[in-house]
Amino acid sequence: MLNLQKLLMASFEDRKYLQKEDFQVIKKIGLKFSGPNSWPSFRSYRPGYYPWYLTSEEARYLTLCLQQAIDVSLRFKDDPEMLTPPARKNHYLVRVPQQDKIGGLSWKDEWIEPLPFKKAEIIVEPIDTDRLEKIKRRIPYRQGVWEVDYFYYPNPIKEKEERPFYPYITLWVEHDSGFILKHHLAKPIECISEFQGQFLKLAENYKTLPQE
């Protein structure tokens, strides 16, 4: 379920798991590797998107992360208690940067509590009342129960040079028969905004409205 997370990953893999782009980077910087689990791989994970190669900004950020991970690991080797949390619950050791007078960075340890989880705001499109009223006048009949759900489609889609993404698939299903009335694929950022239009289109084409 890594496609649901937001993270940058550095790992060491067998040569067979690297892609052409990975070998191009290795060749460009003049490094050589051999043996199992010895080939470096760097990937960017974003919710709704296929694991992809790092951007320059992500590469710089991950470099800082790895440098600080090395710093903590070496100190932990000499002091295994350094990662033992203080009496306060839900606090984690974090390396915090500070900018010095000449523009460089220095780092210090801080025990920090994560911010509370904040759900993303869902922006709902205004209801097309004129179109809805036309449908209600033209289709007065109500029948059955429609169920609707949306979820990530398991196969990624790639458009031109863009990063591959997992589209949302929305399904409308008739409750009693299980018959799929309609399906719709959309980019993650467009799924909610397109929902209303797709529902109204279903009502217009199916020529009936559900009781529920």
Side-chain angles (χ1 to χ4, degrees):
M1 302 297 287
L2 285 174
N3 63 299
L4 301 179
Q5 301 184 47
K6 183 178 181 181
L7 60 94
L8 301 177
M9 178 180 288
S11 61
F12 291 93
E13 310 289 347
D14 289 347
R15 189 181 191 279
K16 63 182 179 181
Y17 294 121
L18 269 64
Q19 303 298 317
K20 178 182 67 175
E21 290 80 358
D22 299 313
F23 292 118
Q24 289 175 345
V25 172
I26 292 173
K27 182 178 180 180
K28 184 176 181 179
I29 58 181
L31 296 178
K32 294 183 179 181
F33 305 94
S34 63
N37 298 320
S38 299
W39 295 78
S41 174
F42 306 96
R43 291 293 184 269
S44 168
Y45 289 82
R46 288 171 53 193
Y49 288 86
Y50 190 74
W52 207 236
Y53 312 105
L54 304 186
T55 64
S56 57
E57 182 180 358
E58 289 174 331
R60 289 191 293 270
Y61 182 79
L62 183 56
T63 299
L64 291 175
C65 293
L66 293 174
Q67 290 171 345
Q68 297 312 307
I70 292 172
D71 176 274
V72 173
S73 298
L74 292 176
R75 288 190 288 137
F76 176 78
K77 185 177 180 180
D78 297 327
D79 180 16
E81 297 299 319
M82 69 168 292
L83 294 183
T84 302
R88 294 169 295 177
K89 293 183 178 180
N90 300 323
H91 282 67
Y92 299 88
L93 180 67
V94 178
R95 294 287 287 163
V96 179
Q98 292 180 315
Q99 194 167 31
D100 56 32
K101 295 181 180 179
I102 59 174
L105 289 179
S106 60
W107 298 80
K108 65 176 183 178
D109 293 342
E110 285 191 15
W111 289 91
I112 297 178
E113 182 178 12
L115 294 174
F117 176 74
K118 186 178 181 181
K119 291 185 178 180
E121 181 182 0
I122 298 178
I123 300 176
V124 180
E125 294 291 317
I127 297 176
D128 189 342
T129 54
D130 292 339
R131 186 178 178 186
L132 183 59
E133 286 301 321
K134 289 180 181 179
I135 293 174
K136 290 168 66 177
R137 289 195 300 268
R138 194 176 60 178
I139 312 174
Y141 187 61
R142 306 286 190 274
Q143 182 180 18
V145 176
W146 292 359
E147 296 187 17
V148 60
D149 196 5
Y150 66 96
F151 47 88
Y152 281 119
Y153 190 69
N155 297 320
I157 293 177
K158 189 175 189 302
E159 296 180 348
K160 297 181 180 180
E161 299 302 319
E162 294 184 4
R163 177 175 181 163
F165 64 92
Y166 292 96
Y168 267 123
I169 180 169
T170 305
L171 289 179
W172 286 266
V173 180
E174 206 284 319
H175 174 78
D176 292 329
S177 66
F179 180 75
I180 297 177
L181 303 170
K182 179 180 175 61
H183 74 277
H184 177 65
L185 288 175
K187 291 183 177 180
I189 60 174
E190 299 171 352
C191 177
I192 300 299
S193 62
E194 294 182 0
F195 176 83
Q196 179 188 159
Q198 292 298 319
F199 172 76
L200 296 178
K201 184 183 295 186
L202 169 61
E204 291 168 340
N205 295 338
Y206 199 60
K207 296 182 174 54
T208 187
L209 290 173
Q211 291 177 318
E212 297 181 22

